[in-house]
Amino acid sequence: MELNEDDGHPEIEALGCDLCTVLKASAKSLAPTVSDEALNTLNELREANLLCDAQISVGEHAFNVHRAIMSSCSSYFRAQFTGFYTSSCGCGAGAASVEEKRVIHIPGISACIMNCVIQFAYLRKTTICEDNVHELLICADYVGMVALVKQCKNYLSRTLTPENCVSIMGFARFRFLEDLHLKARHYMLRYFTEVAARNTDIMEMNIKDFYSIISDDELNTREEDHVWKLCVKWIDRNPESRKQHVAHLMTGVRMGLMTPKCFMEEVKEHPYVIQCEAAKPLIVDTFKFMYDLDFLNPQADELTTPSLAMPRLPHEVIFAIGGWSGGTSKGCIETYDTRADRWVNINAEDPAGPRAYHGTAVIGFKIFSIGGYDGVEYFNTCRVFDAVKKKWSEIAPMHSRRCYVSVTELNGMIYAIGGYDGHNRLNTVERYNPKTNQWSIIPPMNMQRSDASACTLQGRIYATGGFNGQECLDSAEYYDPITNVWTRIANMNNRRSGVSCVAFRNQLYVIGGFNGTARLSTGERFDLDSQTWHFIREMNHSRSNFGLEIIDDMIFAIGGFNGVSTISHTECYVAESDEWMEATDMNIVRSALSANNVAGLPNKRDYIHKERDRLMEERRQRLMATAMAREDIGHNNISQSLVQTNDGAMDDYESPNEDEEAQQQQNITLPFPPVAPAPGLGPTTGPGFASVVFPPPSQLQPVGTIHQNRLMEDRGQENNRRFRMQLRNPRHGSHHEIRRRA
C-alpha cells in the first residue's frame, strides 16, 4: 500500500524509533494516494465480509471493517481499536499489553453518514452533497479523519453563494473551522451587494457580528447607500430591541460617501435617527463634511480624511501597462484604486524593456503581455507579470510579429488576433496554452485587422473594427471555438480603428477609435438577440488607442490620443443612466496602453493608494492649484477657444510634462492613411505615420475683446461656486469622482 503523509502509519510506527524515523522521511516522497485497483480490492473484501476483524455499530446498523484500514486514516479508530494513543516517539511501545477491541459503538451518527465515512477510508473518495456535507463534516471531525474534513470544507468553499454564505460562516465558527470561516466571510464582503439583497440569515446576526461586517474596510460596495439600507432592514427585523443601536451602526457606515439624496431623505429624516439623541452629532458632522464652504481656505490646517468618509478597500484593481508618450514607448505601470479614485505608480517595469501597441490578458493573478512595438522593433515575444510576486518572466514567442494586436482570454487560453508585422496587416490568429507554454495556429479571420479590439462574450471571441492597410473598418466578426470558424456579424455604425471593446452586461460595447478623419467620442453596443447595433452616450473626450476595462459594474476609458495630444483622462460609463462621468486622470499621459482588471489579489494593498487619510488634502491642493491657474489665464487675455479648451482640460488635471504638451500644441501629427496606413497612433513617432504640422495657437484668430472680457467676468463670478460643487460632487454616488466636463 502506498503511504499518505496526512494519514496515520501504524504499520511503520510499530517497528522502532530509528527505523520509524527513516521510513517516515521516505514516506513523504511517496505518492499521496493508493492505486485505484488496490483500493477497490480492499473495499470489495469489506463488502464481502472477508478478512474483516472489527465492527462499527451506529444505531441499529453495523459495518464490518478491517481495523488496519480504519486506523490508518482516523486517530479516533486507531485509539479505539488499539486502546491507547501513541507515545511521543510514535513507535507504539506497549501496544501488545492492551486488549484489542473488536466492536466500536458510536452514538448520534446516522448509518448513511457512517457508510460515507467508511467508504472514504477505503476508497479515499465518497459522495458529498448539500444534504449531507454538514453532518459528514461533523462526523469526520469527530473521528479525526482529517482528509475527509478537508474535502468537506473544500466543497463548502466551492458552493458559497449570496444566499448561503452567512450560514456557512456561522457553521464554520461554531465548529472552529477558522479557514472556512475566513473564506465565507471574505465571500460575504466581496459580494456584499448581492448578499444584502438576497440573504435572510444576515438579519439574524447579533449586533457585534453585524457591525463587524458593515464597518469592515474590505466591504465591497460601489454605493454606501446600500450599507445604510441594510442597517435599516436589520433594525426592522426587531425594532424594539435593535433601534437602540442606530447610532452605533451609523459609525460603521461611511456616511460622508453617501449620495446627498439618500443621506437627506433616508438617514437624516429617518424615525430611528430622529428618535436617537446619540445620532444627532453624527448627522451634524456628516452635514458639515458635505457642505464645508471653507474647504478652499489657503490658511486652513492640513486636512485629514474623517472616518465617515474613509474609502473602503477595493477587491479589484485595474493595471495600466506600457504605452506611447512623448515620442517613445513606455514601460510604466499604474494601478487604479477605484475606492479612493486614485492612480498609483508601481515600481515594477519589465526589465526586458518597454512596449506599446501590445495586447494583454489576465489569467488568475498573472498578466500576459503579447507582441507590441518599442519604436524600433515589432515583437513576437511575450512576457508575463506575476502581480503577487511582482516579477516579469518570458514565455514562448508567437509565430508572427504582431503590433496593434488584439488579445483576449477564453477558457484559460490566450488568443492573439491580427495585428501588423512591420510589412503586412494580418488576419492570422494564434492561441496560447499556458499549461504547455505553446502557441498554435487557428483559422484566420475573414478580414485583415490591425489596430482592432477583441473580447470574449458567451463563449465566443468578437473582433471589432481595425485597419486593413487601406481603410478603417466598420466590420466585426466572432470566433466559435466549438466550430473553429470565424463568422461575420452586422457592421458597426462607424468605422473604427484604434478602437476598444468590452463585453458588458451580456452585450458587446465598442467605443472610440479613428474613422479615417477624426478621433471619435461615440460608442455603440451590439445586442446579440436582435443582432443590431445601438449608439450609447458619447464620451466626454474623443480618443483612440486607449485602455478600456470594467470595474464596479462600469466601463472605464483610460488615456489615449485625442487627435491633438496624448491624454491621461479617465472616465467611466454608467449604464443605468447612459452617461459618462469623470474619474481621476492617470499620472502619466499615454496612448497605446493596455488595461486589465485583476480581482482578489492577496497583496492588493501593494497596489492601492497608501495615504488614504490625506485624500481630502490632496484634493484641496489640486483645486486650489486649478483656481490659481484659471485666475492667471483670466489675466492673460487669451482667445476664447483656448479658454474653453483649458476649462475642459484643467478640471483636476495635472500635466506630468508641460514642455511635452507645449511641443504637441506646436507640432500636431495626425495619421494619413494613404501614405502611412496605421491610424490611431500617438502624436509623434509611431510605426507607419506621417506628420502634418498646424499653426501654433498664437496664430489663431482671437475673439472680440468685449465678448472675451464679459466671458472672463462671468467665469470669475462663477469660479467659487463651481469649485465648491466640484469638491462636493466627488463625495457622492460612486467614488470615481465624478465631475462632468462642461
Side-chain angles (χ1 to χ4, degrees):
M1 178 189 299
E2 293 178 308
L3 302 176
N4 188 333
E5 181 185 356
D6 294 333
D7 301 333
H9 307 305
E11 64 275 28
I12 291 180
E13 296 174 344
L15 295 175
C17 291
D18 294 337
L19 183 58
C20 180
T21 302
V22 174
L23 290 178
K24 278 185 174 180
S26 64
K28 293 182 179 180
S29 63
L30 297 178
T33 58
V34 184
S35 68
D36 290 342
E37 182 179 357
L39 290 173
N40 289 326
T41 299
L42 290 170
N43 194 50
E44 288 171 3
L45 290 173
R46 174 184 71 87
E47 291 175 340
N49 195 18
L50 297 174
L51 304 180
C52 293
D53 55 2
Q55 192 176 77
I56 298 174
S57 174
V58 290
E60 298 179 356
H61 294 79
F63 299 89
N64 295 313
V65 296
H66 302 89
R67 287 178 297 160
I69 301 298
M70 299 305 299
S71 298
S72 69
C73 60
S74 165
S75 58
Y76 172 84
F77 287 120
R78 180 180 178 183
Q80 289 291 330
F81 286 132
T82 61
F84 73 102
Y85 286 95
T86 58
S87 60
S88 58
C89 73
C91 298
S97 63
V98 180
E99 182 181 355
E100 296 174 344
K101 294 185 178 181
R102 301 279 181 173
V103 180
I104 303 298
H105 299 280
I106 305 179
I109 295 178
S110 68
C112 179
I113 294 299
M114 181 51 65
N115 183 59
C116 290
V117 171
I118 295 172
Q119 188 181 61
F120 184 84
Y122 278 81
L123 300 176
R124 295 300 188 267
K125 60 185 178 181
T126 191
T127 302
I128 303 176
C129 62
E130 183 180 355
D131 294 332
N132 72 0
V133 62
H134 295 88
E135 189 178 356
L136 186 58
L137 191 154
I138 293 171
C139 181
D141 187 41
Y142 178 77
V143 301
M145 199 169 284
V146 177
L148 181 54
V149 170
K150 183 177 180 180
Q151 288 205 13
C152 290
K153 291 193 296 185
N154 289 340
Y155 175 86
L156 289 171
S157 299
R158 293 193 306 269
T159 57
L160 283 166
T161 65
E163 290 83 1
N164 69 16
C165 61
V166 176
S167 63
I168 291 177
M169 184 174 69
F171 170 78
R173 184 166 65 175
F174 181 73
R175 301 301 308 178
F176 301 101
L177 306 171
E178 185 62 24
D179 53 345
L180 179 60
H181 176 266
L182 290 176
K183 287 180 180 178
R185 193 176 196 277
H186 179 77
Y187 181 95
M188 180 186 181
L189 293 171
R190 181 173 181 178
Y191 300 103
F192 169 78
T193 304
E194 293 89 340
V195 172
R198 293 150 56 182
N199 191 285
T200 56
D201 297 318
I202 197 171
M203 298 293 103
E204 306 306 324
M205 280 185 169
N206 60 44
I207 179 61
K208 180 180 178 182
D209 293 340
F210 185 78
Y211 182 82
S212 72
I213 293 295
I214 66 158
S215 61
D216 199 310
D217 282 343
E218 300 274 353
L219 189 72
N220 185 31
T221 179
R222 172 179 148 191
E223 301 287 354
E224 203 68 26
D225 301 3
H226 298 309
V227 187
W228 169 252
K229 291 176 181 178
L230 181 64
C231 292
V232 173
K233 285 174 62 178
W234 183 83
I235 296 174
D236 286 342
R237 179 59 63 93
N238 190 354
E240 293 306 315
S241 63
R242 292 182 175 182
K243 64 182 181 181
Q244 60 179 314
H245 302 300
V246 64
H248 181 50
L249 294 177
M250 288 171 67
T251 63
V253 182
R254 314 295 163 94
M255 292 192 296
L257 302 177
M258 296 178 68
T259 60
K261 177 179 175 62
C262 183
F263 173 74
M264 297 299 291
E265 297 179 3
E266 300 186 37
V267 180
K268 179 175 174 291
E269 302 298 331
H270 198 283
Y272 293 151
V273 176
I274 294 174
Q275 296 167 15
C276 179
E277 286 296 322
K280 292 180 180 179
L282 300 174
I283 294 295
V284 172
D285 290 344
T286 305
F287 194 85
K288 288 172 61 178
F289 172 80
M290 286 186 170
Y291 300 98
D292 184 2
L293 300 183
D294 294 326
F295 183 80
L296 291 178
N297 182 3
Q299 283 75 40
D301 295 333
E302 181 171 309
L303 296 176
T304 58
T305 307
S307 58
L308 59 85
M310 186 68 70
R312 300 182 192 266
L313 302 182
H315 283 251
E316 301 170 297
V317 177
I318 290 179
F319 283 72
I321 299 177
W324 191 269
S325 180
T328 184
S329 56
K330 300 293 183 182
C332 51
I333 299 178
E334 291 183 70
T335 56
Y336 181 63
D337 181 344
T338 179
R339 295 288 172 259
D341 184 37
R342 291 291 184 275
W343 286 94
V344 181
N345 291 321
I346 305 299
N347 185 23
E349 291 190 14
D350 188 350
R355 61 180 70 198
Y357 306 103
H358 56 293
T360 51
V362 173
I363 298 179
F365 301 139
K366 294 182 178 181
I367 304 174
F368 292 79
S369 181
I370 311 299
Y373 174 75
D374 66 353
V376 176
E377 182 181 0
Y378 299 87
F379 294 124
N380 68 335
T381 58
C382 304
R383 307 278 292 173
V384 59
F385 177 67
D386 189 319
V388 175
K389 298 178 181 178
K390 291 187 177 179
K391 290 185 178 180
W392 288 90
S393 57
E394 190 86 9
I395 61 172
M398 294 181 290
H399 295 86
S400 300
R401 299 178 184 271
R402 297 180 188 272
C403 172
Y404 317 125
V405 61
S406 304
V407 174
T408 189
E409 179 271 339
L410 176 62
N411 299 330
M413 302 284 195
I414 296 173
Y415 290 75
I417 302 166
Y420 178 61
D421 63 5
H423 302 285
N424 301 301
R425 313 290 161 171
L426 305 175
N427 67 344
T428 59
V429 183
E430 303 183 45
R431 177 169 58 201
Y432 176 73
N433 186 341
K435 295 180 180 179
T436 61
N437 189 30
Q438 289 184 332
W439 288 92
S440 58
I441 302 295
I442 68 170
M445 294 181 290
N446 296 296
M447 306 283 291
Q448 296 171 298
R449 298 182 191 274
S450 73
D451 229 5
S453 184
C455 66
T456 300
L457 177 61
Q458 293 188 1
R460 294 172 172 174
I461 294 174
Y462 286 80
T464 60
F467 186 71
N468 64 5
Q470 297 179 334
E471 62 180 351
C472 299
L473 302 175
D474 58 3
S475 64
E477 53 189 304
Y478 71 82
Y479 171 74
D480 189 331
I482 297 176
T483 61
N484 202 30
V485 172
W486 286 91
T487 305
R488 287 281 301 270
I489 63 173
N491 286 355
M492 298 180 290
N493 292 304
N494 284 332
R495 298 178 180 271
R496 299 179 186 271
S497 177
V499 64
S500 291
C501 72
V502 292
F504 181 60
R505 296 190 175 183
N506 223 27
Q507 293 188 329
L508 177 66
Y509 281 73
V510 178
I511 295 168
F514 177 68
N515 65 3
T517 304
R519 268 66 190 180
L520 302 174
S521 61
T522 60
E524 46 191 305
R525 58 180 174 83
F526 182 69
D527 188 303
L528 271 65
D529 295 331
S530 63
Q531 293 287 298
T532 55
W533 291 93
H534 306 275
F535 279 113
I536 64 171
R537 181 72 63 87
E538 292 188 15
M539 292 185 289
N540 299 309
H541 307 277
S542 302
R543 59 180 94 208
S544 64
N545 295 96
F546 58 101
L548 196 68
E549 189 51 271
I550 297 170
I551 194 170
D552 268 349
D553 201 34
M554 293 184 288
I555 301 175
F556 278 73
I558 304 161
F561 180 64
N562 66 8
V564 176
S565 63
T566 308
I567 61 176
S568 61
H569 301 318
T570 304
E571 55 187 308
C572 55
Y573 176 74
V574 182
E576 292 86 353
S577 56
D578 186 33
E579 61 183 337
W580 289 89
M581 311 191 81
E582 296 291 341
T584 294
D585 299 337
M586 287 189 296
N587 299 303
I588 303 168
V589 294
R590 48 183 163 151
S591 64
L593 69 158
S594 68
N596 296 96
N597 184 347
V598 182
L601 277 168
N603 59 332
K604 63 186 174 188
R605 291 179 184 271
D606 295 342
Y607 297 107
I608 66 174
H609 187 69
K610 302 298 188 299
E611 298 180 340
R612 304 175 93 76
D613 59 331
R614 296 195 71 252
L615 287 171
M616 298 308 300
E617 179 63 22
E618 291 172 5
R619 182 155 188 79
R620 183 177 76 139
Q621 294 297 331
R622 284 204 309 274
L623 287 174
M624 290 177 62
T626 302
M628 289 186 289
R630 284 177 170 169
E631 185 176 351
D632 292 341
I633 290 174
H635 289 109
N636 285 340
N637 202 30
I638 62 175
S639 70
Q640 179 186 8
S641 61
L642 191 56
V643 169
Q644 291 175 337
T645 299
N646 284 325
D647 192 13
M650 290 187 63
D651 278 4
D652 201 26
Y653 172 69
E654 300 173 69
S655 172
N657 192 331
E658 294 179 359
D659 294 336
E660 175 185 327
E661 217 172 64
Q663 183 179 3
Q664 289 175 344
Q665 289 288 344
Q666 295 289 333
N667 300 283
I668 302 171
T669 63
L670 293 174
F672 192 70
V675 176
L681 299 184
T684 53
T685 61
F689 246 69
S691 297
V692 181
V693 180
F694 289 92
S698 59
Q699 298 179 18
L700 298 175
Q701 183 177 1
V703 297
T705 304
I706 296 177
H707 178 80
Q708 178 181 323
N709 290 341
R710 183 179 298 121
L711 172 67
M712 300 309 297
E713 289 175 4
D714 293 342
R715 281 168 44 82
Q717 293 171 359
E718 291 296 313
N719 264 351
N720 212 22
R721 181 185 64 82
R722 290 181 59 202
F723 289 148
R724 292 189 182 118
M725 288 301 296
Q726 289 173 1
L727 164 67
R728 293 200 296 271
N729 287 344
R731 299 174 180 173
H732 311 139
S734 71
H735 304 277
H736 306 296
E737 311 310 27
I738 286 182
R739 310 157 314 284
R740 298 195 187 121
R741 305 279 180 188

